[in-house]
Coordinates of all heavy atoms in Angstrom, one line a residue:
L218 N 2.7 -7.6 1.3 CA 4.2 -7.7 1.1 C 4.4 -9.1 0.3 O 5.1 -9.1 -0.7 CB 4.9 -7.7 2.4 CG 6.4 -8.1 2.3 CD1 7.2 -7.1 1.4 CD2 7.0 -8.2 3.7
G226 N 8.6 -12.5 -8.1 CA 9.1 -13.8 -8.4 C 8.7 -14.4 -9.7 O 9.5 -15.1 -10.4
E233 N 12.3 -4.4 -7.5 CA 13.2 -5.1 -6.5 C 12.9 -4.5 -5.1 O 12.8 -3.3 -5.0 CB 14.6 -4.8 -6.9 CG 15.6 -5.4 -5.9 CD 17.0 -4.8 -6.1 OE1 17.4 -4.4 -7.2 OE2 17.8 -4.8 -5.1
V236 N 14.3 -2.8 0.6 CA 14.2 -2.9 2.1 C 12.8 -3.0 2.6 O 11.9 -2.5 1.9 CB 14.9 -1.7 2.8 CG1 14.2 -0.4 2.5 CG2 15.1 -1.9 4.3
S261 N 12.0 1.2 15.6 CA 11.1 1.4 16.8 C 10.6 2.8 16.9 O 11.4 3.8 16.6 CB 11.9 1.0 18.1 OG 11.0 1.3 19.1
D273 N 10.0 10.0 11.1 CA 10.1 9.9 9.6 C 11.5 10.3 9.1 O 11.9 9.8 8.1 CB 9.0 10.8 9.0 CG 7.7 10.2 9.0 OD1 7.5 9.1 9.6 OD2 6.7 10.7 8.4
V275 N 14.2 9.3 10.4 CA 14.9 8.0 10.5 C 14.5 7.1 9.3 O 15.3 6.4 8.7 CB 14.6 7.3 11.8 CG1 15.4 6.0 12.0 CG2 15.0 8.2 13.0
M310 N 3.0 5.3 -2.0 CA 1.7 4.6 -2.3 C 1.2 3.9 -1.1 O 1.9 3.5 -0.2 CB 1.8 3.5 -3.4 CG 1.9 4.0 -4.8 SD 1.8 2.6 -5.9 CE 2.3 3.4 -7.4
P321 N -12.6 6.0 5.2 CA -11.1 6.2 5.5 C -10.9 5.8 6.9 O -11.8 5.5 7.7 CB -10.9 7.7 5.3 CG -12.3 8.3 5.6 CD -13.3 7.3 5.2
V334 N -23.6 -0.8 3.1 CA -23.4 -0.6 1.7 C -23.3 -2.0 1.0 O -23.1 -3.0 1.6 CB -22.0 0.2 1.5 CG1 -22.1 1.6 1.9 CG2 -20.9 -0.5 2.2
V358 N -13.6 -3.6 -6.8 CA -14.9 -3.6 -6.1 C -15.3 -5.1 -5.7 O -15.0 -6.0 -6.4 CB -16.0 -3.1 -7.1 CG1 -17.4 -3.3 -6.4 CG2 -15.8 -1.7 -7.5
Q377 N -8.4 -9.2 -3.4 CA -8.2 -8.1 -4.5 C -7.0 -7.2 -4.2 O -6.4 -6.8 -5.1 CB -9.5 -7.3 -4.6 CG -10.7 -8.1 -5.0 CD -10.5 -8.9 -6.3 OE1 -9.9 -8.4 -7.2 NE2 -10.9 -10.1 -6.3
E378 N -6.8 -6.9 -2.9 CA -5.6 -6.1 -2.6 C -4.4 -6.7 -3.2 O -3.5 -6.1 -3.7 CB -5.4 -6.0 -1.1 CG -6.5 -5.2 -0.4 CD -6.3 -5.0 1.1 OE1 -5.1 -4.8 1.5 OE2 -7.2 -5.1 1.9
G398 N -3.9 17.0 -10.8 CA -4.7 17.4 -9.7 C -5.1 16.1 -8.8 O -4.2 15.4 -8.4
S410 N -8.9 0.0 -19.3 CA -9.9 -0.4 -18.4 C -9.6 -1.8 -17.8 O -10.0 -2.1 -16.7 CB -11.3 -0.4 -19.0 OG -11.3 -1.3 -20.1
N416 N -13.6 -5.3 -11.4 CA -14.9 -5.5 -10.9 C -15.2 -7.0 -11.0 O -15.8 -7.5 -12.0 CB -15.9 -4.7 -11.7 CG -17.3 -4.9 -11.1 OD1 -17.5 -5.6 -10.1 ND2 -18.3 -4.2 -11.7

Side-chain angles (χ1 to χ4, degrees):
L218 167 68
E233 175 195 334
V236 63
S261 171
D273 280 6
V275 184
M310 278 186 195
V334 291
V358 175
Q377 298 306 318
E378 293 185 39
S410 62
N416 184 357

